[in-house]
Amino acid sequence: YDVSDLVHHIFATLGQEGYQGVPIDSFIVDETQDFTQAELRLLIHLATDKNDLMLAGDSAQTIASGVSFRFEDLRSLFHAERDLLLKRESITAAGGGAG
């Protein structure tokens, strides 16, 4: 197993059980370009206030050869999280439960 497997497991568990920990209001990430998209999506998912996140990085640097980072990709992660929240709200409003 590796970090990607762990992130997948955490995300799957959150999808089934939700987050039961202490609320994470905000966080700061430096060297964002060294995180995988899955890791960044998990951090975004856990934050209670998506507008109180600070993600800093340099798209000209990476720790792995052949890995590219673009802030446009990061933006798409925020859109994916928004779409997930809207879908859950729609299901809840329709009486389909919280999941």
Side-chain angles (χ1 to χ4, degrees):
Y1 299 103
D2 62 12
V3 173
S4 295
D5 293 320
L6 177 61
V7 170
H8 176 74
H9 174 74
I10 292 170
F11 216 102
T13 301
L14 288 171
Q16 295 172 353
E17 302 172 14
Y19 178 67
Q20 305 298 320
V22 175
I24 302 169
D25 296 319
S26 62
F27 58 80
I28 299 170
V29 175
D30 191 15
E31 303 296 342
T32 301
Q33 75 276 1
D34 295 334
F35 286 77
T36 66
Q37 286 196 359
E39 291 166 333
L40 292 169
R41 175 79 192 274
L42 180 59
L43 292 174
I44 293 167
H45 183 73
L46 291 174
T48 56
D49 184 356
K50 313 304 184 218
N51 293 312
D52 200 14
L53 307 178
M54 184 174 148
L55 303 164
D58 184 344
S59 59
Q61 294 181 3
T62 59
I63 59 173
S65 177
V67 175
S68 63
F69 173 80
R70 300 178 318 146
F71 278 98
E72 292 82 14
D73 295 335
L74 184 58
R75 184 178 302 122
S76 73
L77 296 177
F78 280 94
H79 288 292
E81 181 64 20
R82 181 202 59 211
D83 293 347
L84 177 63
L85 292 173
L86 290 174
K87 180 180 177 184
R88 286 185 179 164
E89 288 173 6
S90 174
I91 291 170
T92 300

